[in-house]
Amino acid sequence: MLRARRVLPSFSKTLIQQQQLHLPSSLSNSKHALLTNDTTSNLHQSLLQMSLRGHAINFRHYNALLNECVAKRAFREGKRLHAHIIKTHYPQSVYLRTRLIVFYNKCDCLEDARRVLDEMPERNVVSWTAMISAYSQRGYAYEALHLFVQMLRSGTEPNEFTFASVLTSCAGSMGFFSGRQIHSLIIKCNYEAHVYVGSSLLDMYAKDGKVHEARSIFECLPERDVVSCTAIISGYAQLGLDEEALVLFRQLQGEGMQSNYVTYTSVLTALSGLAALDHGKQVHNHVLRSEVPSFVVLQNSLIDMYSKCGNLTYSRRTFDAMHERTVISWNAMLVGYSKHGEGKEVLELFMKMREEKKVKPDSVTILAVLSGCSHGGLEDKGLDIFYDMTSGKIEVEPETEHYGCVVDLLGRAGRVEEAFEFIKKMPFEPTAAILGSLLGACRVHSNVGIGEFVGHRLLEIEPENAGNYVILSNLYASSGRWEDVRSLRDQMLNKAVIKEPGRSWIELDQVLHTFHASDRSHPRREEVSGKVKELSIKFKEAGYVPDLSCVLHDVDEEQKEKILLGHSEKLALSFGLIATPESVPIRVIKNLRICVDCHNFAKLISKIYGREVSLRDKNRFHRFVGGKCSCGDYW
C-alpha cells in the first residue's frame, strides 16, 4: 500500500537518466523527435516542424502537448515530455507541475505524481487537491487524509473540490471520525451548502448508517443536482429503508430531478427489497424513455429486481439481451433461478457460463449454484460441484459460506445426521449461520436429539438472537415438550429478546398493504377477516384439513385453527382475491418462512379460483399454478 511521504528531489535526475535524453532545446535533429509515431497528430507534427526550424517551444506548446498526453493517457510520451522540460531547464510554473501531477494520476502512476508534488517549491490548492483526489479515487484513504493534514499545516486553504475529494476517504469507524472533524472545518469555511461538498457529506453519513443526518444535509442544500439526489436515495436503499427510498425518488421526480444510471440502479435496489413489480416496470420504462446508456451495472440491477419481484422471464430477457456480461451479471441470473428453486436451470446456466469461458466463476457463482441445488432438491449434484471445488477442478477457493451451503443442502434433503458429521469434519469451527441452518433442518425433520444439542450451542454463541430460541422452542413444541417451551420463553423474557413478528404485504395500485398475524389495523379488516373464514369453509368442502402441527402453542384444536386463520400470508392472500382482477396474479411477500398450512392454503387458491399466486418468503419464491407449487413441496 502506498504511504504518504516526502521524497528527496532526485526524481528529475532519475527521469532524465531513464529517458536517456541529450536533446538541444531546438530539437534540431528529427531522429530525436519528442513524440513517437503511434501518438502522432496534427498538433505533434506542427510542433516538430517548428522545432526543426529552430523555434523555441514555450509554455503554450508544452501545455498543449501535455494536455494531449493526458487526454490519450500516453504515458511514455508524457514522461519523455517531462524529461525534456527538465533537460532544457524550462522554468516550471505551479500550473505546469500541477498538470504533470494530473498526467501521472491519469496514467495510474501515483508514486510519480507524488514525487512531482514533493519536489514543487511552491504549491497551490489545485496541486494539493489533484493528489488528494487521486488517492481518494483509488481507495488510498490513509494517504488522502494524511496529505490533507499536510496541506492544512502548509497554510493552504482547501476549496470545495478539496473537501469533496477528501470526504470520499472518510469511511469506516476511524474514517468517519475524521469525516466529522472535516465537517466542522467545512462549516467554519462556509462550504456546507455547496452542492459538491454537500453531496459528499451526505454520502459519507449515509454510508456510515447515519441516514437522518444525511437527510438533514440534503434538505439544507440550496440547490440539488443528480449526484446529491442519487446519494440520499442510495443511502436509504443500502440501509434497507426501501419504502423511504422509493417515496423520495418519486418526490424528487415530481420536482424535476434528472436521473442517471446510478440513480436508477439505487431505486431498483430498493424495489428489489420491496418486490414491487409494478413500480419496477415503471422505472424500467423511465430508463428506456430517458435513453440512459445501458451500463452493465444498470442491467444487472434490472435482472436482480425482476427476479426478486418474481418475474424470471423478464430477468432472463434482460440477461440474454446484454451485449456484455460481467461475472455479476451471471451471478444475478443464477441467484434468481436459485431463489425460485429452479435447480435445473441453475445447472444449465452454470454449464453455459463455463463453456463460453469469457467470464470465470467466482465465490458468489458457486454459492448460487450450491444454493440452487439445495432449493431444487439436487443434493448429489451440489455435492459433486463442492468436491470439484475442493479438489481444484473448479478454480474457486472454498470459503465458510460454501461449507454452510453443503450443510443446508444435506439438511433440506433430510440427511441431518450426515450434515452433522460434515460439520464435525470441517477445517474450522462452525459459524452461527451454519449451526442455524442445521437447527432449522432438525425442526423440519423432527430430529430432536441433534437439534437440542445444536440449539443450546447456538444459545451460547448468540444469546440475543431471537430466531434460535424460536426454532428450538418450535422443535420442543412439535414433540410435546411444553415445559421446555415455557423455559425457553422465560429465558427470552429475562434477556429481553424479542421475536420478529410475522408480516406479509401485497402491492395494489402502487400502494403496499401490510398485514401482521391476526391483524386488526387494516382499513378493510372486516372484509378480509370474513373472506378468510369463507375460504376456510369452501376449502374444507374440497377436502382441506388444517395442518395443526403448524401451531406451536399448548391450546385446544379449535383455538389452534383460529390461530392458523390469522396468519399474515392468509390475510394478504385473501385481500388479493378481494382487491385484484381475476386475470392478475396475486403477489405476496412474507418476512419469515411460510408454514405448511399457508402453503396448502395458497395451493387451493390457485386451484379453485384459477389464480396464479407468487409468494416470496424469507428463503425463496413459491409459484402456485393449478394447485401445484414450483417448489414441488420441497422447501
Side-chain angles (χ1 to χ4, degrees), residues 128-137 144 147-148 151 162 165-166:
W128 289 101
T129 301
M131 197 67 237
I132 290 169
S133 176
Y135 280 140
S136 292
Q137 289 172 8
L147 193 61
F148 179 71
M151 174 186 172
T162 319
S165 296
V166 75

Side-chain angles (χ1 to χ4, degrees), residues 435 439 452-470 472-473 476 488 491-492 495 497:
L435 292 174
L439 179 60
E452 187 169 25
F453 175 82
V454 172
H456 284 293
R457 180 79 185 96
L458 272 169
L459 296 186
E460 293 172 8
I461 299 172
E462 295 182 321
E464 306 304 320
N465 187 335
N468 298 328
Y469 290 92
V470 172
L472 184 56
S473 173
Y476 284 142
L488 279 174
Q491 287 183 50
M492 290 180 72
K495 295 179 180 179
V497 178

Side-chain angles (χ1 to χ4, degrees), residues 436-608:
S437 176
L438 182 58
L439 179 60
C442 290
R443 161 70 188 97
V444 172
H445 298 287
S446 302
N447 192 315
V448 180
I450 293 176
E452 187 169 25
F453 175 82
V454 172
H456 284 293
R457 180 79 185 96
L458 272 169
L459 296 186
E460 293 172 8
I461 299 172
E462 295 182 321
E464 306 304 320
N465 187 335
N468 298 328
Y469 290 92
V470 172
I471 296 173
L472 184 56
S473 173
N474 292 347
L475 182 62
Y476 284 142
S478 64
S479 303
R481 293 171 57 174
W482 298 109
E483 281 300 320
D484 292 316
V485 171
R486 280 187 279 273
S487 175
L488 279 174
R489 287 177 181 169
D490 288 342
Q491 287 183 50
M492 290 180 72
L493 285 172
N494 292 335
K495 295 179 180 179
V497 178
I498 300 172
K499 173 185 177 291
E500 181 183 9
R503 71 185 173 105
S504 300
W505 59 95
I506 182 171
E507 184 184 5
L508 177 64
D509 296 329
Q510 298 183 26
V511 175
L512 286 172
H513 295 261
T514 304
F515 296 89
H516 294 84
S518 302
D519 196 357
R520 303 295 298 168
S521 61
H522 194 272
R524 298 174 68 175
R525 56 185 174 276
E526 297 300 333
E527 195 178 354
V528 171
S529 179
K531 189 65 175 178
V532 173
K533 292 174 183 176
E534 176 194 321
L535 291 175
S536 176
I537 295 168
K538 190 169 186 175
F539 292 167
K540 282 180 180 178
E541 291 172 355
Y544 162 67
V545 177
D547 192 329
L548 301 181
S549 67
C550 297
V551 181
L552 301 168
H553 296 278
D554 191 11
V555 294
D556 60 38
E557 291 193 357
E558 184 179 344
Q559 187 64 24
K560 284 184 178 182
E561 189 170 335
K562 186 177 179 181
I563 291 171
L564 278 177
L565 292 177
H567 280 194
S568 65
E569 53 267 62
K570 285 192 180 75
L571 300 177
L573 286 167
S574 300
F575 177 73
L577 278 175
I578 294 168
T580 61
E582 292 182 5
S583 59
V584 176
I586 300 172
R587 302 182 186 279
V588 174
I589 305 98
K590 181 171 184 185
N591 64 329
L592 304 176
R593 186 178 185 272
I594 187 174
C595 75
V596 174
D597 190 67
C598 288
H599 194 267
N600 292 336
F601 203 82
K603 274 188 190 179
L604 287 165
I605 287 175
S606 72
K607 181 179 180 180
I608 294 173

Side-chain angles (χ1 to χ4, degrees), residues 6 9 91-94 97 115-124 127-128:
R6 294 287 298 173
Q92 298 177 51
S93 63
V94 174
R97 290 176 188 264
R115 287 185 187 120
V116 174
L117 180 73
D118 287 343
E119 288 187 8
M120 289 177 70
E122 180 187 350
R123 304 163 192 151
N124 62 16
S127 316
W128 289 101

